[in-house]
Structure formats: structure tokens, C-alpha cells
Amino acid sequence: MSSIEKTEEHQNGKNITFANKTRYIVLIIGLCCICSTNGNYNVINFSVICMQDVIEEQSVSNQTHWLENTADVSFIFSAGAVGAIIGLFPSVPLTTKYGVRNILSLYGMTTAISTLLFPMAVSFGYYPVIFVRMAQGFGASIMFSAIGSISEGWSPISEISTYVAFLSAGFQISNIISMPVSGVLCESQLGWRAIFYLFGGFSVLFHLIFFVFFRDSATVHRNVSLKELRKISTGRLPTSSKRQPVPYLAVCKDKVVLSIWAAAIGGNMSLMALMTYGPTYLNKVLGLDVRETGFLNAIPYILATAVKFVAGPLSDSLTFIPEVWRMIFFAAISQLGLAFGFFVMALTSSRVIAQVAYTTAIVLAGINIVGVVKCAQMVARQHVHFVMAVISLSAWGAIFVLPIIIGIVCPNHTASEWAVFYIAVGIFVIAMNVPFPFFATMEPSEYTKPEWEQKRNQVSPEQRI
């Protein structure tokens, strides 16, 4: 920000300032939106195993129902990723032009409405389900970018780890809620359809609240006091008041960003394998029934949320350790722990040890948000939504290719098949994270500074990219 500009109404104190804590209200609302959107997208991972009534109602003699066809069900999972990848490409220019408030609200409502329509789509047949699933993915595609943009506009530099960690906890919290709730509803008289109505309804509510209350920057929010605004602005680079176009080529040539993206690809491939196929692993390999699967799959996410709530403030408070070393430490613990969990699951025949390793891997994966993702926040600053969009692309790409890989490597879901897959993923995680410690930095890149924009304005349009 070049200056702290507030209207006379702000300065006269005519608005509620929430004890100079408006940024935390924004944090809670943003967390609810991310939690509900991720929950909308993931409820199918569990509810698909509860749709026996659909098979009975729609069964045709001498034909296999799509819910009984592994390839058809896998394609439904992949359809969500296809929709997300499609949604990602316009999300960056749209966010740059219209702001995260408008675009997150639009995308979130798309996912919410799609979730409400999902039971109707199932009653119509396979292709309507594919369409609605793609719409779910389209709306969910913006979640990673939203974390970066909300943090950039509202978090003080001194609280950035806490803010990013708490926002990203929505991914874990949504699973904590959705898994056991889905398990209970699946076996109740309400049935699996109630899952979609419940989560879709709450998502509509949260995104309406977000649209009404949220503003893209604390500088233009009527409830932010001058005292809070000074705290949020401290340590930030001065920027122009208008939204700046993303220097795509400069960002893509940044070695720090490239190391961030490499680490994200390795981490996302492994984490999505656990999140998407966790219920399948618990049910098919460890032999847990539906209700046990729902509750035991929620345990890692409960612990991961608790660890995030500790790791974020801890990273901000350890000021006697250089910030770069903190980021590298948390990234290393996260990714090495994730790889170790995969290796243990691959090599053990004990159900208890496998469950502990599975839980540990998910718990430790979550603290990478104050490692690799925090580095992205500090380096890319106002352009972080593009960096986060590419990170998101790696996650959705993983979701898209995983069903294909699982179908080839683990067609029968035996312990030996999953062992091969887990060893390969563990090695992949380590290899992709090797560059990050050598390039990690807290310094903002040149393309985030005002003089970069001034030089860019002096270049002819034909030379810009």
C-alpha cells in the first residue's frame, strides 16, 4: 500500500471495529467458505459406497449399473478434477480483474448449487452426474488461490503463518465433519441424499455471508480501524491502489517459484492419494466397515487440524530462528513425514501400524502450509493467486490421474498392490522436494515491487507478456 487511506466515516469511528479484530472475523468467514466448498467436493468420496438403493431402483437385467462399474465410478471422480482444471484457467484473470470477493462467491455458489442438485442428477442417470460433478469441481477450483488472496489482503506479515494455516485448516475440518456425518446419514433413514442437501445448504449460507461482509483489502472495509489497518500494513511493500496484471512470464521464470511448484506437485500427488482413496484403503485393505471407515478416516484430519492450529502460531512466534530456516524446517518435517508414512504402510502387515502410519502421514502433510505455501505467499505477494492457482492445478491434476494410476497398479485393492503404489509415491515426494531448501527465501521478488510496474508501463504493449 502506498498510503493508508480511510474515509472520514472510518476516522470518526462511526462503525463497529470488533475491538480491532475484524481480520479474524474475515478469517472465520473465509474458513467456513473453504470448509464448505471442500466438503461439497469430497462428500461423494464416501457417499458413493452408500448408493445401493440407486442400483436396485435403476437396475436393468443383463446390464451392469454404473455404480457397480469401477471404471464409471473412477471417471466420476476424475470428472470433478476436469471441471476444476477448466475452472482454474479463467480464475486467475477473473480474480485479477474483479477481485477475490466476487469470484470466490461465484465459484462457491456454483459448487453449492451443484451439490444440492446432485441427488436429482443421480436419479436421471450417469451423464447428468458427470455434468454436475464437473460443476462441483469448477467451483472448488479456486480454494487454493482464495487462501493466498485473502491472506494477502488481510493478514499482517507478523501473523502470516497463523492466517494461512488457519484458512487451510478448512480442508481438514471439512473431512472431520463430512466423513462421520456421511457415515451416520448413510445408515440412517435420511439416507445418502441428505448428505448433499445438508452440505450444499450450509455452503449457500456461508458464501452469501462472505459476499456481504468481505472486501478484497482491509483498506476499504468499513469495520477496520486505523489501528488495525496500521498493523496489517506494517512491513508490506507499497503498491498501487488499482489491481495489477500478473507478470506471468516473470513468475514462471522465478527459480524460487519453480522450486515451490515442484514441491507442491510432489506433496499434492501424495496427499490427494490419501484424501481421495483413504476411505477405500481403510475399507478394502484394512477391512473396516462403513461406519468405522467414516469415523477412523476423520481421526487424521482432527489431529491435522490441531497441528495446524499449533504450527501456524508457533512459526510466527519463533522469531529467534531465521524465517527461512523455519520454512525449510516445517517443509522438511511435513514431506519427509509424509514419505515415511507411505513407506511404513507399504511394508507393514499390521492393521494397527498401517492405521498409525496413515494418520501420521496426513497429520504431518498439513504443516507444509507454513513451509512451501508460506514461501509462495512471501515471494509472490500481490501475485500469489497465480502461484497458488498453479499449486491448485497440481492438486487437481493429481486427482485426475490418480484413478487411472490406481486402476492400473491396484485393480484388486490388495495389500501387495497398494504397497507398490505407496513406495513409488514416497520416493516421488522426496525427489520433488529436493530443490526447495536451496531456493527458499522470505524476500519478495522483483516483479512485486512498484518499480517493476513502473518499468513495465514504459515497455511497449508488443513487448509485454
Side-chain angles (χ1 to χ4, degrees):
M1 304 171 197
S2 58
S3 63
I4 299 176
E5 299 178 354
K6 303 293 284 185
T7 65
E8 182 178 351
E9 183 181 37
H10 289 126
Q11 293 171 339
N12 291 337
K14 293 181 179 179
N15 295 297
I16 299 173
T17 61
F18 299 106
N20 304 311
K21 304 293 184 183
T22 302
R23 64 189 183 279
Y24 295 131
I25 305 297
V26 169
L27 174 62
I28 293 171
I29 296 173
L31 174 61
C32 288
C33 288
I34 292 169
C35 181
S36 63
T37 299
N38 194 61
N40 287 338
Y41 184 83
N42 285 330
V43 288
I44 192 175
N45 296 345
F46 196 96
S47 60
V48 72
I49 64 178
C50 305
M51 298 181 180
Q52 293 300 317
D53 61 315
V54 177
I55 299 175
E56 296 172 1
E57 292 172 4
Q58 300 179 358
S59 61
V60 178
S61 59
N62 300 323
Q63 290 187 16
T64 302
H65 192 274
W66 59 267
L67 279 169
E68 297 176 303
N69 187 312
T70 303
D72 287 342
V73 174
S74 294
F75 188 75
I76 289 175
F77 285 115
S78 297
V82 171
I85 293 171
I86 293 172
L88 268 176
F89 288 100
S91 70
V92 175
L94 286 174
T95 301
T96 300
K97 184 174 182 179
Y98 298 106
V100 69
R101 172 181 177 242
N102 293 320
I103 303 308
L104 178 58
S105 299
L106 174 64
Y107 274 54
M109 290 297 287
T110 300
T111 301
I113 294 171
S114 301
T115 302
L116 291 171
L117 294 176
F118 201 94
M120 182 186 297
V122 171
S123 67
F124 286 146
Y126 182 66
Y127 292 105
V129 170
I130 294 295
F131 177 80
V132 172
R133 181 62 174 164
M134 289 182 67
Q136 275 188 321
F138 184 96
S141 66
I142 199 174
M143 288 186 291
F144 280 96
S145 297
I147 291 173
S149 295
I150 294 172
S151 300
E152 175 62 22
W154 282 89
S155 173
I157 293 295
S158 61
E159 299 175 358
I160 191 71
S161 294
T162 300
Y163 216 87
V164 172
F166 278 40
L167 278 177
S168 68
F171 295 111
Q172 283 76 30
I173 294 174
S174 65
N175 285 286
I176 293 171
I177 297 171
S178 65
M179 290 299 175
V181 169
S182 296
V184 171
L185 290 177
C186 275
E187 297 189 349
S188 72
Q189 293 182 345
L190 295 174
W192 61 268
R193 292 172 179 83
I195 301 172
F196 292 91
Y197 297 140
L198 178 66
F199 285 92
F202 272 109
S203 188
V204 169
L205 175 63
F206 290 143
H207 283 92
L208 286 175
I209 294 173
F210 177 85
F211 182 77
V212 171
F213 189 81
F214 183 81
R215 295 296 181 270
D216 289 344
S217 174
T219 60
V220 296
H221 200 289
R222 62 183 297 171
N223 299 116
V224 176
S225 66
L226 287 171
K227 178 180 179 181
E228 183 175 22
L229 185 56
R230 278 192 289 268
K231 183 176 181 63
I232 293 173
S233 304
T234 300
R236 291 193 175 275
L237 293 172
T239 59
S240 61
S241 57
K242 65 179 182 179
R243 297 189 181 100
Q244 301 173 25
V246 177
Y248 294 104
L249 182 59
V251 177
C252 292
K253 291 169 64 176
D254 189 336
K255 293 180 181 179
V256 181
V257 172
L258 291 176
S259 71
I260 290 169
W261 284 343
I265 290 172
N268 283 334
M269 175 64 77
S270 56
L271 182 58
M272 292 304 154
L274 290 177
M275 291 178 63
T276 304
Y277 287 94
T280 302
Y281 174 77
L282 294 174
N283 182 250
K284 302 293 185 181
V285 179
L286 299 188
L288 305 179
D289 62 30
V290 172
R291 187 181 291 270
E292 285 179 318
T293 297
F295 281 98
L296 287 181
N297 196 57
I299 291 175
Y301 298 104
I302 295 173
L303 296 176
T305 302
V307 169
K308 274 190 175 183
F309 286 163
V310 172
L314 180 62
S315 176
D316 286 330
S317 64
L318 295 176
T319 54
F320 57 90
I321 300 175
E323 187 70 57
V324 173
W325 288 106
R326 280 180 266 164
M327 290 193 301
I328 294 173
F329 171 77
F330 282 110
I333 292 295
S334 169
Q335 300 304 284
L336 289 176
L338 186 58
F340 180 75
F342 277 115
F343 293 146
V344 172
M345 284 189 287
L347 300 176
T348 187
S349 59
S350 168
R351 174 171 160 174
V352 174
I353 294 176
Q355 173 68 32
V356 171
Y358 170 78
T359 300
T360 302
I362 291 181
V363 170
L364 292 180
I367 65 174
N368 201 30
I369 201 75
V370 293
V372 171
V373 176
K374 180 180 179 180
C375 185
Q377 189 81 45
M378 302 308 300
V379 169
R381 299 297 173 96
Q382 68 268 31
H383 305 304
V384 69
H385 62 289
F386 171 57
V387 177
M388 295 294 282
V390 176
I391 292 176
S392 183
L393 179 62
S394 71
W396 295 115
I399 293 174
F400 177 73
V401 301
L402 275 171
I404 300 172
I405 296 174
I406 295 297
I408 295 172
V409 180
C410 309
N412 303 309
H413 296 294
T414 63
S416 59
E417 291 172 346
W418 281 96
V420 172
F421 174 72
Y422 284 155
I423 289 175
V425 172
I427 294 173
F428 181 73
V429 171
I430 294 173
M432 294 301 287
N433 277 271
V434 169
F436 178 74
F438 298 99
F439 294 102
T441 180
M442 280 288 291
E443 296 300 317
S445 294
E446 290 298 317
Y447 50 77
T448 66
K449 300 176 181 178
E451 52 266 31
W452 171 274
E453 185 65 17
Q454 294 170 6
K455 292 178 182 178
R456 191 175 188 274
N457 290 335
Q458 296 171 359
V459 178
S460 62
E462 292 78 9
Q463 295 175 295
R464 296 179 191 173
I465 295 182

